[in-house]
Amino acid sequence: MNTPRLEARALAKRYPVGNRRKGAMLHAVDDVDLVIQAGESVGLVGESGCGKSTLARLLARLIDPTSGTIFLDGEDTTALSQAAFVASPDRARIQVVFQDPTESLNPSFRVFRSIADPITRLLSIRDPAELSDRVHRAADLVGLPRELIQRYPHQLSGGQRARVGIARAIAVEPSLLILDEPTSALDVSVQAVILRLLADLRERLGMSYLFVSHDLNVVRLLCSRIVVMYLGRVVEVAPTEQLFTAPRHPYTQALVAAIPDPARRDEKRPRLDGSPRSPVDPDPDTCRFFGRCPIGTERCTQSAPTLEPVGDEHFAACHFTTVVSTERGDP
Amino acid sequence: MHFFWKRLLGTIPSLIGVVLVTFVLSHALPGDPAAFFAGPAANAESIAEVRAKLGLDRSLPVQFFHYADDLRRGQLGNSLTTGQPVLNDLIERLPASLELTFFALLFAVAVAIPLGVWAATRPDSMVDHACRALVSIGAAFPTFFIGLLFVYLFYFLFDIAPQPLGRLNEIMYTAPPRITGAYTVDSILAGEWSVLRASLAQLVLPSVSLGMFALAPIARITRAAMLQALGSDFIRTARASGLPARKILFSYALRNAMLPVTNVLGMVFSFLLGGSVLIEQVYGWQGVGAYAVNAVISSDYAAVQGFVLAMALLYVLLNLVIDLIATAIDPRVRFES
Amino acid sequence: MKAPATPLLSIEDLSLVFRTRHGTVRALENVDLTVERGEIVGVVGESGSGKSVMAYAALGLQDAAAQVLGGRILFEGLDMLAAAPDVLAATRGREIAMIFQSPRTALNPIRKVGHQIADVLLEHTAVRRSDLRQRAIEALARVRIPDPERRYEAYPFELSGGMCQRVMIAMALACSPSLLIADEPTTGLDVTTQAVIMDLVREMSREARMSTLLITHDLGLAGEYCDRIAVMHAGHIVEVAPTVELLQRPAHPYTRQLLASTPTPRSSIDQLVSIPGQLPDLRSDLPACRFSARCERHVSACDERPLPWTVISPQHAVRCRVPL
Amino acid sequence: MTFAGFARNAAYAFGENRLTLVSVVILAALVLCAIFGPLIAPYDPLMTDGTARLVPPSAAHPFGTDALGRDILSRVIVAARLDLGMAVIAALLSFAVGLALGAIAGYFGGWPDRIISRVMDTIMAFPLFVLAMGIVAALGNSVLNVIIATVVINLPFYCRFARAEVNVRREQGFVEAARMGGNGAMPVLVNHIVPNILPPMMVQVSLNMGWAILNAAGLSFIGLGVRPPTPEWGIMVSEGASFIISGEWWTFVFPGAALVLAVFCFNLLGDGLRDLLDPKRRV
């Protein structure tokens, strides 16, 4: 196989919480492995607080991991600290489209400056003619009318702001684009436009996507493979269709079952009750999902399951996924 | 009462900071501290004597240690003007200042909170405009100027206030036997009702003029906090649940609005304690403020330093009380710690 | 579920504007909607369509800047727009209850949740003070909050968003109202929690034969839980139909496009359709059909006022001169 | 905001709030007094006239004269320079230092934040006017030291305000986006965050200016800083105070009124600016 575009190995991010002396740690992201191939589009889903945003920020090198490595096209980017990475030419290769298009644009910058700032800094292009040419090209790519380029963000509609956010990210020609809930603040009719734009851009520019979202229906549209996180850990990875039709982890099953679907309105579907375990100093031998899991047993408190293959390209971290290829079965 | 001890412990850094700052102000600044302490009439010889006596020839950390040790023993030095230990002077005069500050706060709170609530319930009404006008004007008047205006109007022109010369007309009344040092309290304890009336009469103008400056921030924040509370989601819930308007206003909105109000009280006390210095000056009030002003003018440094320290300690204590009140109102603060 | 002669709630020809410093916002125009007894009705629309404004008006809780130009809202014969304040207050919480989005901020942050439920019980029922606590705990237990005695003593900040929403539901159902208005009750909650909360709302409605008016921007959610759906666009209700009929045979061009732009577990990116144009500025002069500028079926007759309802079937009506 | 947009907003806000416009006009007049005071004043503010002591307001002396026969109007006009000067210098200095410290504390967090916050807390642990008295007493009784004391006691307000504003924005999308765009810590802070907190900070400066004037005047009133016969509003009120019980009200009312007017206008301007910058009220 070719060198993956991005590969994360044993990535972890822990934050100290409460009394410093007790040394309690919040495990935001725990021992995560992730691979994104060139041109691939991967979805990352999970409930709020599951660490998906932290993981996205780690991969984008906005924050430094506590441990683990991130390879970009085979190069270890974690050799540089976040502060040093900002100035490196590799910075341009990963870009992020942020969640709230209103919040993610500097209110005192015109659209032009918002898009031009990363171009001048990361590509060292200072010639006004070339700069303006680049800005216009990025704006054209996202379908942003040129007359809006001299406007301030508060003079734009939500959909136009979302386009500016995307233009800014692609202006430096990244090879990996991380989309952090890019449409969650938009109305459905605008969301549809932006999703189509993103699909179109990927095809034309050949970027890889990591699409972070809580909405499985949306992720489905753009991604060929989906990673499910629960409480800082990856619990299931599967090709999109397989994840929808045959989810193996009980959390994924509940997640898929929870999608409102008029076609299944009278079906009784499994529901997830209770609240998640604390992410502060979790017991390393207990499954993170235990307590909320409908099928958990004592075994889940004695050893935490790890991600194991359960099918073609399909992995799940649960003791009770009947696996054909290994001897591990239902106890 | 777990959080009580936590809050109490929380004042320790402030106390250390206060002691450190007063030390820096007296020992570590440019100029010759010995000259300060020796007073304006000192010659080179007496300054050297003072320097040795105060240990100013030693290193700063040693000086600080001695300074802190003196404080621990209540040694604030002697006042040059009164010849008394500064501590005694302060203890004698502090009740007068506290009495004044208390009545000023009482006046400010009694007027400002109802006004703010009233204005918030009728935005853009006459009451609201009146409240805002009062707030703008109250915040613009220097305390000492209000004090003087009141004296001119109510004593000189209308002749309805007693002469602005201190806490009691000493010619007509004798001060009650000293128990707390506050004339109003002591006269009640002694059952001397005419003295109580006379001392209250003396208190009216100074405390109202001092309270005027505290009025503005309290009314302003009450109005804003009430407006915010009344516009909040949980008030909408209460309305949608059909709770009576009175209950929504008082037990839902007002209680929540009291949080920002308590938080602003710290600043209000800062104003009041500072403003009392000026008001005491205007009304010939024999409190610590007037004492400090005299000390500053006559370069009586030990007295000034003692005054600054005493006021800071008092302020730290008041902030502790405010903190405890806020904690009692808001469960979130309790659980945070 | 066939209704008796009079519906529980009927909004008739309601027009409402907001007078703001930047002009008059025509938030609702000639809105008609009924809710029958025991029925779950969904109101679906994008932000700014007026769906929440309508819900608040139904409780007589409209904003101070709102001005009702015409129409009425009848709840069991009581005109919510004309009733005396004390009559309204006695109806709210007792007969009509409401739950909101962001349940954490919808609860008083410094009052124990049990006391907040007790406040409502005390106001609307003849419960004795000594029984108050027990009754509030029962209300919590009814929405299957685990360990209700302990939760009674909790403050909102100690509970998760989903748990706060259950408390809200417990509070809303405490007096067994006949109508529940749910304003985006699951916005901001996780998908799994959303499913649990919506199951609960549906179950409670069925159990107590309570009617529910569900306000949501999520057509999928309304499609799963509602008996009937009303679609709103720019202050108009453009279509009302039983859920299955609306989803399968939308008659209004906007409804069809809204359906086509909503991702479902079966749609693909190529099928995703976007609606051209934007919501019109409600402060400007608006045409008879507020969708006309975005509509490819627009004909000159569309600009004639008034815009009539076209009946497709007994329960299916659409406000369009050229329905699909 | 474009300039035209700003002008439109300004016109709108002023039209909405006439008082703000009035306050701007009065402040402009006070600033003119501060700059050209000695040229405008009808008399020499220091010239005594034994034949015209304590003259009530008249055509020749619109504000009357004081105990030494000096023209109060002239003294009030000339004093504007000192009073406004002290306040403006003190407010701007504390603004600049407070903004820098607060921005560093708010953006970097960690130990710089702990140290800066601890210092500010310590200043705030004193009743501020009392601390100002202590500082002037320790440093020496001079105008410069009054300014230093005013800077010190104002510092925590600016510092905390800037810290909070930076803290809110530090996590916002546009700051993360700026970091994605290759901006290091200082460029993010200076180019992206600070321009966005300047407008609310300016409101604070304006609101704070009135307070700075009051503090300086209060210190002069009790005899710190300015010395007679220098014309200054606080000390003039103090000098006039002894004539209250004999009824010569003009000796303290006019300088006091000048103080009130200046503080009132700064407060109004601050309120007006706040309305102007409030995004909710933008057209």
Side-chain angles (χ1 to χ4, degrees), chain D residues 49-250:
Chain D
D49 180 357
T51 62
R53 285 181 189 160
L54 295 173
V55 175
S58 63
H61 299 285
F63 287 2
T65 63
D66 66 8
L68 297 175
R70 295 174 296 196
D71 180 50
I72 292 180
L73 174 63
S74 303
R75 289 175 67 75
V76 166
I77 291 175
V78 172
R81 180 180 296 178
L82 190 53
D83 276 277
L84 293 187
M86 285 196 292
V88 168
I89 292 171
L92 289 182
L93 269 178
S94 39
F95 163 74
V97 179
L99 174 62
L101 291 179
I104 288 168
Y107 188 73
F108 293 100
W111 62 263
D113 181 26
R114 282 202 290 281
I115 292 174
I116 291 170
S117 295
R118 178 54 66 204
V119 171
M120 295 305 145
D121 286 350
T122 305
I123 295 175
M124 295 289 281
F126 287 85
L128 294 176
F129 186 75
V130 170
L131 180 62
M133 281 172 70
I135 293 174
V136 177
L139 291 181
N141 196 344
S142 73
V143 172
L144 178 67
N145 290 339
V146 165
I147 293 177
I148 292 176
T150 311
V151 170
V152 171
I153 64 172
N154 274 306
L155 207 53
F157 290 112
Y158 290 106
C159 186
R160 288 179 167 192
F161 189 84
R163 180 180 178 276
E165 293 284 314
V166 170
N167 228 331
V168 172
R169 287 169 177 79
R170 187 175 65 160
E171 303 293 325
Q172 268 182 6
F174 78 85
V175 172
E176 294 209 308
R179 290 168 57 202
M180 292 302 302
N183 289 277
M186 281 326 270
V188 165
L189 197 52
V190 174
N191 296 339
H192 290 260
I193 298 182
V194 167
N196 282 298
I197 68 169
L198 277 180
M201 288 285 286
M202 290 318 290
V203 174
Q204 289 302 303
V205 173
S206 175
L207 289 173
N208 199 245
M209 200 77 83
W211 198 65
I213 294 178
L214 287 181
N215 265 306
L219 290 172
S220 324
F221 179 79
I222 58 172
L224 291 177
V226 188
R227 275 169 231 238
T230 316
E232 191 278 339
W233 296 332
I235 207 166
M236 289 171 72
V237 173
S238 164
E239 285 167 354
S242 33
F243 301 100
I244 291 180
I245 39 176
S246 47
E248 280 100 8
W249 54 271
W250 58 89

Side-chain angles (χ1 to χ4, degrees), chain B residues 233 236-237 241 247 252 256, chain C residues 56 105-106 108 119 123-124:
Chain B
D233 287 0
R236 188 186 56 186
T237 307
S241 308
K247 177 152 193 147
Y252 276 62
N256 276 278
Chain C
Y56 287 111
T105 59
N108 188 341
D119 284 341
E123 185 55 31
H124 294 299

Side-chain angles (χ1 to χ4, degrees), chain C residues 209-221:
Chain C
R209 270 190 55 73
M210 175 180 74
S211 307
T212 298
L213 189 63
L214 173 68
I215 313 294
T216 179
H217 65 277
D218 186 343
L219 200 49
L221 192 72

Side-chain angles (χ1 to χ4, degrees), chain B residues 93-116:
Chain B
R93 289 170 173 80
L94 200 58
S97 298
L98 287 179
E99 193 177 27
L100 174 63
T101 310
F102 173 76
F103 277 95
L105 181 73
L106 199 67
F107 164 76
V109 166
V111 175
I113 291 186
L115 190 67

